[in-house]
């Protein structure tokens, strides 16, 4: 497939012309088609759609290589490193009891990688309902899961009090962000 991509970028007028930006909407469409195959439990169609998505990933990697930024091996190696880091219960000495422990730990590890918020991993372009669901799932993993509205309101009050008590301007801004996040 890598050799075919090299040929296409060199010889095909359409493939030569493609950029990261021009492929984006096509990739999104392919991922939705993959999702449809999963929903339909159509394994033959799933096989085709996996190939289509894989083609797009290789296409992006080829463009990255042309720009001197990375190649497919770099992308795969980076993913392997990330998976090992985020699975210390497999590749380290962290103990987990269940799936919820794994998800909580995953979000904490993402913050250690430099993400400023657990919400950084939620794509901006997701449809609104999917985005809201993913945001809810992510914040649940770091303790924002409430049994009832009284518990949620108590958390809002806690964050408002932290904002009021903070004297450092940078920290005060972060605390205000926490308040807005809870109210949003």
């Amino acid at each position: 497939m890598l050799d075919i991509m090299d040929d296409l970028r060199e010889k095909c007028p359409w493939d030569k012309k493609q950029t990261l930006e021009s492929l984006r909407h096509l990739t999104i469409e392919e991922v939705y088609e993959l999702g449809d195959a999963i929903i339909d439990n159509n394994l033959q169609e799933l096989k085709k759609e996996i190939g289509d998505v894989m083609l797009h990933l290789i296409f992006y990697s080829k463009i990255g290589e042309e720009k001197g930024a990375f190649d497919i091996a770099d992308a795969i190696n980076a993913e392997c490193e990330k998976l090992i880091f985020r699975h210390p219960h497999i590749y380290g000495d962290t103990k987990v009891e269940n799936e919820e422990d794994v998800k909580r730990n995953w979000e904490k590890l993402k913050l250690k990688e430099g993400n400023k918020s657990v919400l950084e991993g939620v794509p901006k372009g997701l449809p609104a309902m999917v985005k809201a669901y993913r945001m809810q799932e992510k914040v649940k993993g770091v303790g924002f899961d409430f049994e009832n509205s009284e518990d949620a309101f108590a958390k809002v009050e806690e964050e408002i009090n932290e904002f009021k008590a903070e004297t450092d301007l940078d920290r005060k801004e972060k605390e205000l962000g926490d308040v807005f996040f809870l109210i949003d």
Side-chain angles (χ1 to χ4, degrees), residues 95-170:
K95 303 287 184 233
V96 296
E97 297 294 321
N98 53 41
E99 174 190 358
E100 289 305 313
D101 287 350
V102 172
K103 291 194 302 192
R104 251 189 312 280
N105 196 44
W106 180 277
E107 293 302 335
K108 289 176 186 172
L109 290 169
K110 285 176 69 175
L111 292 173
K112 284 184 181 178
E113 292 172 340
N115 292 344
K116 293 181 180 116
S117 162
V118 294
L119 298 177
E120 276 189 39
V122 179
K124 296 176 194 120
L126 278 179
M129 288 300 292
V130 176
K131 188 174 185 178
Y133 176 79
R134 288 299 296 142
M135 290 173 77
Q136 183 178 12
E137 284 294 305
K138 293 216 174 252
V139 298
K140 179 180 177 184
V142 291
F144 287 87
D145 187 25
F146 307 108
E147 293 292 321
N148 54 52
S149 60
E150 289 82 22
D151 291 347
F153 189 71
K155 184 64 176 173
V156 171
E157 286 180 320
E158 175 189 326
E159 292 298 337
I160 288 171
N161 289 333
E162 287 176 9
F163 170 71
K164 285 180 183 178
E166 188 57 61
T167 57
D168 178 79
L169 284 178
D170 288 336

Side-chain angles (χ1 to χ4, degrees), residues 33-87:
E33 290 175 7
L34 176 69
D36 287 348
I38 293 167
I39 289 169
D40 294 342
N41 197 27
N42 184 334
L43 298 181
Q44 288 305 309
E45 194 61 28
L46 181 62
K47 177 178 71 172
K48 292 179 200 172
E49 297 307 334
I50 289 171
D52 289 345
V53 171
M54 201 171 298
L55 169 65
H56 279 253
L57 302 179
I58 289 170
F59 212 147
Y60 289 120
S61 296
K62 179 63 179 171
I63 294 170
E65 181 182 340
E66 292 167 357
K67 293 176 177 284
F70 65 91
D71 64 15
I72 189 74
D74 296 327
I76 291 170
N77 287 330
E79 186 64 21
C80 289
E81 289 171 12
K82 180 172 72 175
L83 288 171
I84 290 168
F85 177 76
R86 291 190 188 170
H87 288 83

